[in-house]
């Protein structure tokens, strides 16, 4: 079936681990790539995946218009400061142009920060990972994180409660799910009310009510960010529900 697919779905992946000299390191996000394939095949589509450098968007913002060439765009996980502003510019473009967006891990955090800056007007909103001295830390380290082992990271499978009447619930068709995590910082509850009042939807929260797991936007084709990494649970004959919903939205 895979070998005979003709129709393509064009997916962009915005990252910073792709390039070394003249080479592209596709395996940097291997699990994300495979999850896109699984979901695309389920719709009898051949995924055409393009690597997009967030560093390029920082240096040449005019290049952001190339994002309109894709059916959907993913901003995957990562660590550190490099390329972050380029990712935020890309997320802003995707939000404003109503292009399906899926943010994974750090991608979810940066989507929330972009919303905080440009919709909720929280000046210089950022994350402790970028600037631990900043005034408006939308994501920060907390006692809950610091109590964890593994160098203060939240790792492994954790349960999540999904709100009904959301894109996430449409994907999972369940209110109780378990997903795998790998992150050092969590959402700063100090900003929760202001972001929700401006339209950010918190569609998933940890079962212990301590961690925000999924954010999304209502008036958008598909704009979903997950603190966890759904790509880790995708399989060739069992595509992950969120990737299925993302690809479905990209085809609509």
């Amino acid at each position: 079936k895979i070998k005979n697919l003709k129709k393509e779905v064009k997916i962009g992946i915005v990252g910073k681990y792709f390039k070394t000299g003249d080479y592209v390191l596709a395996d940097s996000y291997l699990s994300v790539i495979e999850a896109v394939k699984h979901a695309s095949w389920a719709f009898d589509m051949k995924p055409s995946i393009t690597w997009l450098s967030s560093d390029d968007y920082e240096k040449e913002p005019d290049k952001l218009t190339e994002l309109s060439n894709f059916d959907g765009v993913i901003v995957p996980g990562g660590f550190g400061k490099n390329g972050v502003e380029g990712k935020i510019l890309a997320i802003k473009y995707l939000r404003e142009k109503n292009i399906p967006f899926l943010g994974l891990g750090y991608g979810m955090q940066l989507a929330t920060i972009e919303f905080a800056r440009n919709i909720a007007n929280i000046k210089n909103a950022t994350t402790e990972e970028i600037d631990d001295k900043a005034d408006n830390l939308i994501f920060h380290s907390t006692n809950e994180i610091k109590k964890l082992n593994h160098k203060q990271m939240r790792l492994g499978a954790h349960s999540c409660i999904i709100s009904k009447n959301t894109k996430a619930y449409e994907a999972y068709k369940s209110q109780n799910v378990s997903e795998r995590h790998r992150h050092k910082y969590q959402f700063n509850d100090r900003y929760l009310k202001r972001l929700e009042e401006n339209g950010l939807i918190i569609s998933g929260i940890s079962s212990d009510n301590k961690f925000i797991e999924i954010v999304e936007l209502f008036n958008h084709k598909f704009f979903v960010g997950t603190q966890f990494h759904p790509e880790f649970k995708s399989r060739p004959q069992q595509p992950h529900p969120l990737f299925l919903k993302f690809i479905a939205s990209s085809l609509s």
Side-chain angles (χ1 to χ4, degrees), residues 91-101 167 216-224 249:
I91 292 167
K92 181 176 185 287
Y93 187 92
L94 297 168
R95 176 179 56 77
E96 292 179 340
K97 300 299 182 181
N98 198 28
I99 299 169
F101 159 80
K167 289 284 198 304
E216 59 182 76
L217 297 181
F218 180 72
N219 293 316
H220 197 282
K221 206 173 199 180
F222 186 88
F223 192 100
V224 176
S249 300

Side-chain angles (χ1 to χ4, degrees), residues 148-150 153-159 178-183 213 227-229 232-233:
L148 302 174
N149 296 321
H150 310 290
M153 291 190 71
R154 186 168 178 245
L155 297 173
H158 297 276
S159 57
S178 176
E179 294 287 359
R180 290 170 59 186
H181 296 69
R182 182 178 176 81
H183 64 99
E213 301 278 27
Q227 183 63 88
F228 50 80
H229 291 272
F232 292 158
K233 294 185 70 175

Side-chain angles (χ1 to χ4, degrees), residues 149-195:
N149 296 321
H150 310 290
K151 298 181 180 180
Q152 299 179 355
M153 291 190 71
R154 186 168 178 245
L155 297 173
H158 297 276
S159 57
C160 173
I161 308 301
I162 309 292
S163 298
K164 289 187 175 182
N165 301 316
T166 62
K167 289 284 198 304
Y169 185 81
E170 288 176 11
Y172 283 106
K173 296 179 175 58
S174 174
Q175 283 193 279
N176 298 281
V177 301
S178 176
E179 294 287 359
R180 290 170 59 186
H181 296 69
R182 182 178 176 81
H183 64 99
K184 291 179 65 176
Y185 303 98
Q186 74 176 81
F187 180 81
N188 188 344
D189 289 340
R190 169 186 168 193
Y191 298 94
L192 178 58
K193 182 178 179 181
R194 184 165 175 180
L195 294 185

Side-chain angles (χ1 to χ4, degrees), residues 7 18 40 110 117 185 187 222:
K7 294 182 180 179
F18 292 142
S40 300
L110 297 179
R117 288 181 183 180
Y185 303 98
F187 180 81
F222 186 88

Side-chain angles (χ1 to χ4, degrees), residues 1-6 41 46:
K1 173 182 174 180
I2 294 166
K3 289 180 180 179
N4 293 321
L5 294 176
K6 303 298 182 185
W41 295 337
K46 179 181 179 181

